[in-house]
Amino acid sequence: MPCPPITREESMPDPKLSSKSFTLTNNETGQSWELPLLEGSVGPSVIDIRKLYADTGCFTYDPGYTSTGSCQSEITYIDGEKGELLYRGYPIEQLAEDSTFMEVCYLLIYGELPTQDEKDKFLDRITYHTMLHEQINYFFRGFRRDSHPMAIMVGVVGALSAFYHDSTDITDPKHRFIASTRMIAKMPSIAANAYRYSRGLPFSYPRNDLKFSENFLYMMFSNPCEEYVINPILAKAMDRILILHADHEQNASTSTVRIAGSSGANPFACIASGIASLWGPAHGGANEAVLSMLEEIGSADRVDEFVKRAKDKNDPFRLMGFGHRVYKNYDPRAKVMRQTCHEVLNDLGIKDDPLLDLAMKLEKIALEDEYFIEKKLYPNVDFYSGIIFKAMGIPTSMFTVLFAVARVVGWVAQWNEMIEDPSQKIGRPRQLYTGAKHRDFVPIDKR
Ligand code: CMC
C-alpha cells in the first residue's frame, strides 16, 4: 500500500486577523487607510497590504524583500534573534540528534512525524524511485568532462520533465506526489552521477538494502571492483547534514521555486530553477566559497589581514560562511555542524588539519571583533559544512550539490503547499521606475 498523495484534507485556514491594525496617512491630502494586521501562530505579525495599490495607488518598495512576507506557510519557523529553527514546530537540534533525514522528509511534506507503518511505506516509496531512467545516464555524457556538477544538476533535473511526463499535471495530487517522490529519491543518484562522470568513474546503481545516506555514500564512492564498506560515523554525519539543510523558510532558492511554480510550471522545471538560485555564493554556493577562501588565506598568520579586508567598505571581499539575512545570533545549524565536524575529524583521525586550524582561528577572531559583534555576523551553517565535506573526501565543487540533495525536500514541501493554497497568485512584483519618461523614436541617421 503506497503512501497517500501529498494533499490536505482541509485547505490552509485564513490567517488570524488581529484586533490591532495600522493606519497609513497621506500627509498631503490627510486621507487615511486602515491596514489590517494578521497574526501567525508564533513570530511577528504582518501588515496585510494586498489592497494597498487598489486603495492608495502606491506600491511598496522593498528590494531583497527584507520586510516582505510572500506567503503563509506552516512548514518552517525561524527566530533569527534567538537563533531558533523549527521544522513543523520541532527544534532542529532535536531532529538532528534523534531523527533521520527520511523521517524529516516525511515531517516536512506531511506535517507530522510518521508512525512506524507510515515510515516503512514512505521509505519503500523513496527506495523504489532512486534508480534513474537509463536514458538519463546517456544524457550525462553530453556534458563536458570538466563541467561544474551544479551545471549538470540544473540541466539534468530540468530534463527530468522530458523523461517523466506522467507526473507533470500539477492539478492532480497523485502526479504531484509522484513527482515529489521522484525528486527526493533521484537527487542523490543524479548528484553521484555528476561526481562520477567528472572523475571518469562508471555510474553506480542504487542499493535498496542500504539506508538513504548510506546509499548516497555508496553511490558516490563505491568502486565496482571492490566491496564498499559503509563507515557508520560518516553515514550518520551525512544524514545529519541533510537534516540541517532540508528546509529554511522563504530563502532565495525556495522563493525561486515558489515563483516559478506560481505560473503553473511543471515541478521538475521549478526545482531546476531552485538549484540555479542555490548555486550563488551568497546562498548555497557559500560552502564552496568558504573552502576557496580558507585556501586563499593559506595560513593562520594571514587571518588578521583578511578580517581587515572583510571590514573595509571599499573592498568587495566578505568572510564567506559569516552572516545571515535572518539570523542575528548564532545559526543553530552551525552549532550542530560544529559538533559533527569534530566527530568526523576525530573518526577519520584528522588531528592537525591546517585548514581546520585556520577556520577555528578565523572563527575566534571574527567572534571577538567589534565589527562582527556590532553587525551580528556569526558563523553560518556553511562555515562548517565545507570542512566536513572536505574531510569526507568530497571535492569542493560538489559541496553545493550536497546542499541541493537535502534542500530538494524543502522545495518540494513548499511547492506543494503553494499549489494547495487557494490564496496564492502568480508571483509578480512591481517596481519603482526611474528610467526615461515617454519619448519618441529617433531614426538612426538623426541620432
Ligand atoms: N563579511 C563581512 N561583512 C559582512 C558579511 C561578511 N560575510 N556579511 C554581511 N556583512 C556586512 C555588510 O557589508 C553590511 O555592512 P553595512 O551595514 O556596513 O553595509 C552588513 O554586514 C549587513 O549585511 P547585508 O549584506 O546587508 O546583509 P544581507 O542580509 O543582505 O546578506 C548574506 C546576508 C548571507 C548574503 C551576507 O551576510 C553574506 O554575503 N555572507 C557571506 C556569504 C555566506 O556565508 N552565505 C551563506 C548564508 S547561509 C546559507 C544559506 O542559507 O544559504
Side-chain angles (χ1 to χ4, degrees):
M1 172 64 191
C3 297
I6 306 162
T7 186
R8 307 166 59 88
E9 276 161 25
E10 293 158 26
S11 59
M12 197 151 36
D14 283 338
K16 212 170 118 208
L17 199 63
S18 166
S19 54
K20 298 179 206 126
S21 63
F22 269 73
T23 306
L24 184 74
T25 308
N26 181 330
N27 288 338
E28 211 179 305
T29 62
Q31 196 180 356
S32 292
W33 298 271
E34 193 162 293
L35 301 175
L37 202 62
L38 305 176
E39 281 176 356
S41 47
V42 56
S45 308
V46 301
I47 304 170
D48 184 349
I49 57 161
R50 279 175 288 183
K51 296 207 181 104
L52 188 76
Y53 177 60
D55 291 348
T56 69
C58 293
F59 298 127
T60 55
Y61 181 60
D62 185 19
Y65 314 120
T66 53
S67 298
T68 298
S70 59
C71 61
Q72 178 188 349
S73 180
E74 297 177 342
I75 301 173
T76 294
Y77 174 72
I78 304 173
D79 184 330
E81 300 300 324
K82 272 207 270 179
E84 181 179 61
L85 169 61
L86 310 176
Y87 289 167
R88 301 280 189 184
Y90 295 101
I92 191 67
E93 295 84 350
Q94 291 180 21
L95 294 169
E97 186 61 34
D98 299 322
S99 189
T100 60
F101 179 61
M102 277 294 97
E103 214 171 51
V104 167
C105 285
Y106 188 98
L107 172 69
L108 288 169
I109 291 171
Y110 290 103
E112 296 296 337
L113 287 166
T115 60
Q116 189 60 53
D117 183 47
E118 287 165 340
K119 187 174 168 179
D120 292 345
K121 283 176 186 155
F122 184 70
L123 285 178
D124 206 52
R125 262 276 166 179
I126 296 289
T127 303
Y128 283 94
H129 278 90
T130 48
M131 202 152 72
L132 295 170
H133 190 296
E134 192 59 18
Q135 267 174 278
I136 294 178
N137 289 339
Y138 300 129
F139 191 72
F140 277 85
R141 301 196 165 98
F143 288 97
R144 273 173 62 139
R145 182 75 67 200
D146 59 355
S147 305
H148 194 288
M150 280 301 277
I152 298 182
M153 289 293 277
V154 175
V156 173
V157 173
L160 291 181
S161 43
F163 289 92
Y164 300 107
H165 303 279
D166 58 339
S167 56
T168 52
D169 177 1
I170 62 159
T171 60
D172 184 338
K174 283 201 199 95
H175 278 226
R176 293 205 301 273
F177 172 62
I178 296 167
S180 304
T181 307
R182 281 178 170 149
M183 264 170 308
I184 295 169
K186 292 184 198 305
M187 282 292 273
S189 314
I190 296 172
N193 275 8
Y195 167 67
R196 296 180 76 91
Y197 181 71
S198 69
R199 296 275 149 143
L201 293 165
F203 294 150
S204 54
Y205 290 92
R207 261 181 52 192
N208 290 355
D209 59 320
L210 297 177
K211 292 182 183 146
F212 189 86
S213 293
E214 293 174 348
N215 180 51
F216 183 33
L217 288 176
Y218 164 79
M219 284 194 292
M220 286 278 290
F221 296 119
S222 61
N223 177 333
C225 316
E226 292 168 6
E227 191 194 344
Y228 181 73
V229 182
I230 305 281
N231 176 330
I233 303 263
L234 296 193
K236 174 83 195 149
M238 178 59 79
D239 211 64
R240 198 174 269 175
I241 291 168
L242 297 180
I243 292 173
L244 295 176
H245 286 89
D247 194 43
H248 213 227
E249 207 225 61
Q250 307 310 321
N251 55 83
S253 56
T254 302
S255 298
T256 304
V257 170
R258 276 187 178 254
I259 288 234
S262 74
S263 72
N266 80 67
F268 303 107
C270 295
I271 299 299
S273 71
I275 297 173
S277 167
L278 187 74
W279 195 357
H283 190 13
N287 51 16
E288 183 177 341
V290 168
L291 253 275
S292 309
M293 175 189 74
L294 292 176
E295 273 154 14
E296 192 191 344
I297 298 176
S299 65
D301 57 356
R302 293 187 67 207
V303 167
D304 292 333
E305 178 197 324
F306 280 82
V307 170
K308 202 169 152 211
R309 277 188 61 194
K311 297 193 289 186
D312 182 354
K313 278 231 156 287
N314 301 316
D315 189 329
F317 176 78
R318 281 189 167 195
L319 280 192
M320 286 293 136
F322 278 81
H324 199 275
R325 166 62 61 81
V326 183
Y327 294 120
K328 301 302 166 201
N329 201 325
Y330 218 97
D331 179 342
R333 303 167 301 169
K335 273 192 199 150
V336 180
M337 203 63 113
R338 192 175 196 269
Q339 182 202 332
T340 307
C341 183
H342 286 289
E343 281 169 20
V344 168
L345 293 171
N346 276 343
D347 181 69
L348 295 174
I350 303 173
K351 295 260 181 303
D352 301 309
D353 183 74
L355 227 51
L356 184 68
D357 293 346
L358 185 57
M360 294 302 120
K361 178 158 185 216
L362 186 62
E363 184 202 31
K364 188 166 180 299
I365 290 181
L367 285 175
E368 288 168 357
D369 191 286
E370 208 35 57
Y371 173 94
F372 285 84
I373 295 171
E374 193 204 312
K375 294 193 185 300
K376 299 187 175 166
L377 299 171
Y378 294 89
N380 58 48
V381 68
D382 290 322
F383 187 69
Y384 299 103
S385 60
I387 298 165
I388 305 180
F389 291 152
K390 181 175 180 283
M392 283 177 158
I394 295 167
T396 319
S397 61
M398 281 295 291
F399 291 1
T400 315
V401 170
L402 270 75
F403 195 155
V405 168
R407 185 55 58 85
V408 72
V409 62
W411 293 330
V412 157
Q414 301 262 358
W415 174 80
N416 275 288
E417 186 181 67
M418 182 201 65
I419 302 279
E420 295 192 347
D421 179 354
S423 71
Q424 274 301 311
K425 295 174 182 300
I426 183 166
R428 176 47 169 103
R430 300 303 301 265
Q431 61 174 5
L432 174 66
Y433 178 69
T434 53
K437 292 190 180 160
H438 184 281
R439 49 185 172 165
D440 290 323
F441 179 77
V442 181
I444 197 156
D445 56 331
K446 302 232 167 52
R447 285 175 211 162

